[in-house]
């Protein structure tokens, strides 16, 4: 095969896995003002979604108020019903079964598409919960679906085919909520990295999910520096189900099943532990405390308790799950509570011979001051394939996200008196956070059509939030301040990203010395950039003009250069401040950057000298003017060998 014309590289095929009514307002997006107004809500931008297909007749894909697609659009609609594609859904192709329509049989693709760019749908809810107007992040952007996954499985060559088609068709943004796990194979063996490079080279922004393998370290995937790698966080909306104990203590959990006819009396409380085998425990008519266990799904546990005659269930997180609770539509009355609350419930049960409890269902509540909190499942850095690039880049809403669903979900309404169905569903995962950021990128692309993918990425990263609604540092699932390997640059703030002041730009050719610096061979670099390369210039990973710093600890001082471009007020001066970084001495030179015209560039050097550093150290380099604050996280770490 290597002797065939056009051959680049070959590798064994692998199988990849798939990784709302409130999130736009949670992110500060409102009609006719701010970023939605400045960007015309994403008008003229095309978002390509690579996923499980789409439900074209869902109301989220109506084309009310939509303009015609741009003249550059060259895509196809592979539905034989002419009304299925319209000014909103302008393209749909099937690479899984080319002889069939690209219908969504799994739901994932419909959900992610509507999250990124769904049109306004009034009265959306999930069995009466989370009621409101559903809308995507970029409601005036166009959607093009490329079906590359069947159920939860995505074949490698089909992903590449979908990426090639999206590039050729003329999309502006690509959203990829899938990955191959936290594989340690290099970038030249990474299908998504290779396809995303081709997209970036054509000026297309690529947003990818960071993976759902957290909270373990070194689990982040889709971390190539030309990709925006997105972790998952909570929003301030909870669908509350409160566990009330006999001693009066109350523990707020979540469940999307909200019956009104559940017993309001205290019932006996028993510990079923993992609740996989309940033969030896009498649970009939009782509240059962269950522990989560890897390999056993929440629904399985609930069915086991229900079939054994349990009246209700309190599902407590294991230590790994921490404070992350999910608003799932359960098969019967239950609540999921945090690990800490679960331990307190166990302590209560040990303190009395007759423990009792009840569950009260309190519906939707907005205003959780802990939000955003990082979800336990959100994958963490270091990015083992290239430790000199800090990943993930950003976090965004990915827990309990309400969005479109291809088929009606049957169940009970919150009145519990009649049967109903919902064409919206609540899902959690970095698969949900990724299309949020694709939508944000579409807004920025519409507002700044001349910005490169790297410029958009820089704007998102350097303006991110570090504090939650309670004005405290953003926390992880343990409710401790989240580190840089968990949140990257922080939580996305779309409005601030629209006017960042300075950007760190990177041109496609700038990645070649970086790739050569990874000690890849000429052929390996060539397979990524899809052209013949001879590595004449090599730079350390940390030298890439990235909006964040990830620097390996060395015995001697190291100096790295960054170049910023002025995109805000023309005449301005920025002064630098360094914070954090225990055990590390950081010097920035010069300490003032002056600008007189737009698009003017200025460079600065960062010298890092480790003093008594034994583990990781983190902090920030912030350039500030009268109007702007441009923040870059900096992480110094002991080098980890990759086998």
């Amino acid at each position: 095969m290597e002797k065939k014309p056009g051959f680049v590289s070959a590798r064994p095929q692998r199988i990849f896995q798939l990784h709302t009514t409130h999130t736009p307002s949670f992110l500060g997006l409102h009609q006719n003002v701010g970023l939605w107004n400045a960007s015309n809500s994403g008008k003229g931008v095309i978002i390509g979604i690579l996923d499980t297909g789409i439900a074209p007749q869902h109301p989220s894909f109506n084309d009310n108020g939509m303009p015609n697609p741009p003249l550059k659009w060259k895509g196809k609609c592979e539905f034989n019903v002419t009304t299925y594609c319209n000014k909103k859904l302008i393209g749909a192709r099937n690479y899984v079964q080319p002889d069939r329509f690209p219908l969504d049989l799994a739901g994932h693709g419909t959900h992610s598409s509507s999250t990124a760019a769904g049109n306004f749908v009034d009265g959306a809810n999930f069995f009466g919960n989370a009621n409101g107007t559903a809308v995507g992040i970029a409601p005036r952007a166009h959607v093009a679906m490329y079906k590359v996954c069947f159920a939860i499985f995505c074949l490698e060559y089909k992903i590449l085919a979908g990426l090639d088609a999206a590039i050729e068709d003329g999309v502006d943004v690509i959203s990829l909520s899938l990955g191959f796990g936290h594989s340690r194979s290099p970038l030249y063996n990474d299908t998504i990295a290779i396809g995303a490079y081709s997209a970036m080279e054509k000026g297309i922004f690529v947003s990818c999910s960071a993976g759902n393998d957290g909270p373990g370290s070194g689990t982040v995937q889709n971390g190539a520096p030309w990709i925006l790698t997105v972790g998952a966080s909570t929003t301030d909306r909870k669908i509350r189900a409160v566990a009330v104990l006999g001693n009066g203590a109350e523990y707020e959990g979540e469940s999307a099943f909200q019956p009104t006819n559940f017993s309001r009396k205290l019932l006996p409380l028993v510990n079923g532990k993992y609740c996989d085998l309940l033969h030896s425990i009498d649970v009939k008519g009782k509240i059962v405390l269950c522990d989560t266990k890897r390999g056993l799904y929440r629904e399985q546990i609930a069915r086991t308790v229900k079939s054994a005659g349990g009246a209700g269930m309190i599902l407590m997180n294991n230590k790994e799950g921490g404070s992350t609770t999910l608003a799932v539509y359960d098969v019967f009355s239950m609540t999921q509570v945090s690990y800490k609350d679960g331990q307190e419930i166990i302590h209560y049960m040990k303190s009395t011979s007759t423990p009792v409890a009840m569950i009260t269902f309190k519906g939707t509540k907005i205003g959780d001051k802990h939000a955003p909190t990082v979800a336990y499942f959100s994958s963490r850095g270091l990015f083992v394939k290239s430790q000199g690039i800090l990943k993930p880049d950003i976090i965004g809403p990915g827990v309990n996200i309400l969005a479109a669903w291809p088929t009606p979900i049957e169940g009970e309404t919150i009145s519990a008196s009649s049967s109903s169905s919902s064409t919206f569903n609540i899902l959690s995962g970095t698969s949900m956070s990724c299309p949020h950021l694709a939508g944000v990128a579409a807004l920025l692309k519409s507002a700044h059509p001349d910005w490169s993918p790297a410029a958009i990425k820089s704007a998102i990263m350097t303006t991110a939030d570090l504090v939650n609604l309670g004005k405290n540092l953003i926390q992880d699932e343990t409710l401790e301040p989240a580190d840089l390997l968990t949140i990257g640059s922080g939580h996305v703030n779309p409005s601030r990203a629209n006017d960042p002041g300075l950007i760190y730009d990177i041109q496609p050719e700038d990645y070649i010395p970086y790739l050569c610096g990874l000690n890849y061979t000429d052929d390996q670099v060539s397979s990524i950039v899809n052209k013949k390369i001879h590595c004449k210039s090599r730079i350390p990973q940390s030298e890439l003009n990235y909006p964040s710093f990830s620097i390996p600890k060395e015995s001697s001082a190291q100096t790295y250069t960054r170049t910023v471009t002025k995109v805000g007020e023309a005449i301005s001066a920025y002064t630098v401040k360094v914070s954090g970084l225990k055990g590390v001495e950081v010097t920035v030179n010069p300490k003032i950057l002056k600008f007189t015209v737009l698009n003017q560039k200025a460079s600065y050097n960062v010298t890092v000298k480790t003093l008594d550093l034994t583990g990781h150290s983190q902090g920030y380099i912030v350039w500030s003017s009268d109007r702007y604050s441009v923040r870059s996280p900096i992480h110094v770490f002991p080098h980890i060998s990759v086998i």
Side-chain angles (χ1 to χ4, degrees), residues 329-555:
Y329 188 83
D330 301 293
V331 296
F332 82 137
S333 303
M334 63 165 288
T335 182
Q336 181 181 2
V337 299
S338 71
Y339 171 75
K340 178 178 177 292
D341 289 350
Q343 297 308 300
E344 293 188 14
I345 293 171
I346 290 175
H347 179 73
Y348 159 73
M349 295 177 72
K350 290 179 178 178
S351 71
T352 176
S353 59
T354 56
V356 292
M358 64 179 176
I359 303 172
T360 60
F361 298 91
K362 297 192 173 183
T364 305
K365 175 187 176 184
I366 292 174
D368 177 18
K369 297 298 184 182
H370 287 290
T373 298
V374 185
Y376 83 89
F377 55 76
S378 186
S379 289
R380 318 291 161 97
L382 291 166
F383 179 50
V384 293
K385 300 178 189 179
S386 180
Q387 297 170 32
I389 302 296
L390 180 62
K391 292 286 179 169
D393 292 309
I394 200 80
I395 57 171
V399 178
N400 298 330
I401 303 303
L402 181 79
W405 200 248
T407 55
I409 302 171
E410 301 300 326
E412 296 179 358
T413 63
I414 57 173
S415 68
S417 60
S418 60
S419 179
S420 184
S421 64
S422 175
T423 56
F424 290 85
N425 198 2
I426 292 176
L427 298 182
S428 298
T430 55
S431 284
M432 285 66 249
S433 53
C434 168
H436 276 91
L437 270 295
V440 171
L443 297 178
L444 297 177
K445 183 72 175 177
S446 182
H448 306 279
D450 58 328
W451 279 8
S452 68
I456 294 173
K457 182 177 182 178
S458 173
I460 290 171
M461 291 172 62
T462 61
T463 59
D465 289 332
L466 296 181
V467 296
N468 59 24
L469 293 181
K471 305 302 181 184
N472 297 310
L473 290 174
I474 291 173
Q475 300 167 331
D476 62 18
E477 75 287 347
T478 69
L479 298 183
E480 293 294 329
D483 62 23
L484 297 184
L485 299 179
T486 300
I487 63 170
S489 295
H491 191 272
V492 61
N493 184 324
S495 298
R496 286 192 63 206
N498 187 46
D499 188 19
L502 303 173
I503 57 167
Y504 294 81
D505 209 355
I506 307 174
Q507 299 305 313
E509 60 271 17
D510 296 336
Y511 292 107
I512 294 173
Y514 154 79
L515 291 168
C516 293
L518 293 174
N519 293 323
Y520 294 169
T521 67
D522 291 353
D523 287 343
Q524 289 165 347
V525 176
S526 299
S527 70
I528 296 172
V529 304
N530 204 26
K531 61 185 177 185
K532 198 64 181 173
I533 295 295
H534 296 287
C535 283
K536 297 177 181 177
S537 174
R538 302 172 187 268
I539 61 171
Q541 301 171 47
S542 307
E543 179 71 8
L544 186 67
N545 199 43
Y546 213 66
S548 58
F549 294 82
S550 184
I551 299 173
K553 174 185 174 182
E554 301 288 353
S555 56

Side-chain angles (χ1 to χ4, degrees), residues 224-298:
W226 47 87
I227 290 172
L228 183 75
T229 310
V230 187
S233 61
T234 65
T235 73
D236 64 336
R237 181 179 66 195
K238 287 184 174 290
I239 303 177
R240 297 173 298 161
V242 180
V244 182
L245 306 184
N247 62 1
E250 297 188 2
Y251 300 99
E252 185 173 280
E254 291 197 77
S255 174
F257 181 62
Q258 295 272 316
T260 57
N261 60 352
F262 187 71
S263 173
R264 296 176 183 267
K265 296 180 180 180
L266 289 167
L267 301 173
L269 175 63
V270 296
N271 192 345
K273 295 190 176 179
Y274 295 128
C275 295
D276 48 353
L277 298 172
L278 293 172
H279 306 307
S280 60
I281 306 173
D282 178 19
V283 302
K284 193 168 184 178
K286 301 175 182 178
I287 304 291
V288 185
L289 177 68
C290 298
D291 194 354
T292 55
K293 181 180 181 181
R294 276 194 177 268
L296 204 62
Y297 291 107
R298 173 172 168 159

Side-chain angles (χ1 to χ4, degrees), residues 7 31 36 106 169 181 184 213 268 284 325 340 378 400 434 462 475 516 603 610:
F7 176 87
Q31 282 187 274
W36 264 0
D169 289 347
R184 299 197 172 202
D213 295 314
K284 193 168 184 178
T325 56
K340 178 178 177 292
S378 186
N400 298 330
C434 168
T462 61
Q475 300 167 331
C516 293
S603 297
T610 55

Side-chain angles (χ1 to χ4, degrees), residues 595-640:
F595 300 90
T596 56
V597 294
L598 284 177
N599 298 316
Q600 182 179 345
K601 296 182 183 296
S603 297
Y604 66 93
N605 294 324
V606 176
T607 301
V608 175
K609 183 179 180 181
T610 55
L611 303 174
D612 56 352
L613 178 65
T614 55
H616 295 250
S617 183
Q618 64 176 39
Y620 295 93
I621 296 174
V622 183
W623 289 96
S624 300
S625 70
D626 292 340
R627 179 177 170 187
Y628 297 101
S629 180
V630 184
R631 185 179 58 247
S632 292
I634 177 168
H635 174 244
V636 182
F637 63 94
H639 184 77
I640 299 174

Side-chain angles (χ1 to χ4, degrees), residues 55-57 61 77 79-86 89-90 101 103:
Q57 292 181 292
F61 307 115
C77 181
F79 290 112
N80 70 344
V81 180
T82 56
T83 56
Y84 277 7
C85 284
N86 54 26
L89 178 61
I90 61 174
F101 306 139
L103 288 170

